[in-house]
Amino acid sequence: MNTNLAHDWEMHCHSHASDGVLSPQALYDQALSAGLSHLVLTDHDTAAGYRALHEGGELSEQLRLWPGAELSSLWLSRNIHIVGIGMDVFSDAWLDVERRYVHAREQRFERLMFVLRRAGLDISEADIRAEAGDALPGRPHVARFLVKSGQAKDSAQAFKRWLGTGKVGDVKQGWPPLEQAVADIRACGGKAVLAHPHRYKLTWRKLDQLLDDFQQAGGEAVEVCCPAMQPPMRQRLVERCIERDLLIGGGSDFHQPDTPWARLGWYPQWPSQGKRLVDALLG
Ligand code: AMP
Ligand code: MN
Ligand code: MN
Ligand code: MN
């Protein structure tokens, strides 16, 4: 059963400033024609797309654009994503955060190329940089190149064989601790949101520990309404958020058009209980 529905907020999506396919302007235009009224652009580790749109984009009164980013971090050796919404992404403090991520991604990229070549893949740094364009290189760019060069059937297979959690290309080196990512977002005036908790494959015991550590660090909201999360998990997460007074967030995690499970603004309905992140953002 598809429980996703069209919201007027999108709080988690990617442009080609990171690993999405659309340009920031094309993404904005698509959100506008889908009838959204708020769009938070949350590229991985950068708000360059927001800055470009803010400075030279064609924006409409109908669709408010919010600054955001999805920061990579580490928690108990796991790669955890923290979405930040509402930071001052023109500030020196934020630009410094981005510089640290550029460095981390470049270091990781070198290591990634090394381990993938050692695993027998025919891949060069130039191939992946060409695939990434202006974005910092990430695993999805590697996956796309492997598909184009006939070394993988599709991106899903590339992740399953080489790039996904626990595989050779799962290089986590260099990401800051979760506490740092949350602190960086808050120091720049944003709200920190724990991204897609169902993707980490944690037991409830571990997930509770993650929620505790995240909240302790200053995290304020959790993505509860995610397209691929099973309803029983969503229900339990809603309860956890209410108990802890965490805000309820969500989003599609849109990366490209024509992916049936991730359309802009499509994710499960807000639960009837709990405090919503959207209300807190509108203050
Ligand atoms: P990176 O930023 O290099 O760590 O790559 C993480 C990104 O890879 C995520 O944001 C997703 O866009 C993508 N990704 C992760 N797992 C998968 C998967 N199993 N299949 C396809 N894409 C994935
Ligand atoms: Mn991504
Ligand atoms: Mn993510
Ligand atoms: Mn994402």
Side-chain angles (χ1 to χ4, degrees):
M1 185 183 64
N2 191 347
T3 52
N4 299 324
L5 59 92
H7 289 255
D8 59 358
W9 273 83
E10 177 57 80
M11 292 184 280
H12 188 155
C13 60
H14 301 270
S15 75
H16 74 194
S18 66
D19 60 3
V21 165
L22 299 180
S23 68
Q25 184 71 59
L27 182 82
Y28 182 91
D29 294 346
Q30 189 147 332
L32 186 62
S33 51
L36 273 71
S37 47
H38 296 269
L39 176 70
V40 192
L41 181 54
T42 58
D43 276 307
H44 295 286
D45 311 326
T46 181
Y50 174 89
R51 287 192 295 271
L53 277 179
H54 187 84
E55 284 172 338
E58 266 190 53
L59 303 180
S60 153
E61 300 261 293
Q62 312 300 315
L63 175 61
R64 176 165 171 191
L65 179 69
W66 294 69
E70 181 178 16
L71 296 186
S72 310
S73 82
L74 275 183
W75 178 79
L76 303 184
S77 314
R78 291 171 172 86
N79 190 189
I80 303 291
H81 285 174
I82 309 292
V83 165
I85 302 179
M87 297 80 73
D88 177 356
V89 299
F90 289 95
S91 64
D92 288 342
W94 179 259
L95 295 174
D96 189 53
V97 171
E98 287 194 4
R99 271 191 289 274
R100 279 189 269 126
Y101 274 98
V102 170
H103 182 70
R105 250 186 207 277
E106 287 296 345
Q107 291 229 308
R108 171 178 176 262
F109 181 51
E110 268 180 38
R111 175 86 196 146
L112 184 60
M113 290 297 99
F114 174 78
V115 297
L116 292 178
R117 270 199 296 265
R118 194 173 58 182
L121 289 171
D122 182 10
I123 194 169
S124 77
E125 210 177 290
D127 293 332
I128 308 306
R129 288 200 192 277
E131 192 60 46
D134 291 336
L136 293 167
R139 287 176 287 170
H141 305 116
V142 175
R144 284 175 211 157
F145 172 76
L146 292 176
V147 175
K148 277 191 188 164
S149 59
Q151 300 179 80
K153 180 166 60 87
D154 52 29
S155 282
Q157 194 201 39
F159 270 88
K160 209 165 165 192
R161 289 182 70 174
W162 294 292
L163 303 166
T165 309
K167 301 293 153 60
V168 294
D170 181 22
V171 179
K172 290 178 279 226
Q173 105 186 4
W175 297 143
L178 171 136
E179 288 76 9
Q180 180 73 53
V182 173
D184 284 337
I185 289 166
R186 286 172 59 91
C188 297
K191 288 199 185 306
V193 188
L194 179 66
H196 44 61
H198 61 295
R199 295 252 307 260
Y200 308 128
K201 309 266 182 280
L202 301 170
T203 60
W204 277 104
R205 213 176 91 88
K206 272 272 176 296
L207 189 50
D208 280 333
Q209 200 184 336
L210 173 60
L211 291 174
D212 282 341
D213 290 352
F214 170 71
Q215 191 168 26
Q216 189 94 50
E220 285 165 275
V222 178
E223 283 186 354
V224 168
C225 295
C226 305
M229 188 192 289
Q230 295 302 309
M233 176 167 193
R234 199 156 67 236
Q235 188 49 46
R236 285 180 75 167
L237 270 175
V238 170
E239 289 160 16
R240 298 299 204 273
C241 287
I242 292 172
E243 277 165 24
R244 292 174 158 86
D245 208 21
L246 283 162
L247 298 166
I248 290 176
S252 70
D253 203 0
F254 175 95
H255 281 72
Q256 61 196 92
D258 313 322
T259 321
W261 59 90
R263 282 169 61 185
L264 271 175
W266 281 73
Y267 47 92
Q269 192 165 8
W270 300 125
S272 52
Q273 298 153 299
K275 291 186 194 154
R276 294 181 192 170
L277 172 60
V278 289
D279 295 329
L281 287 170
L282 290 174

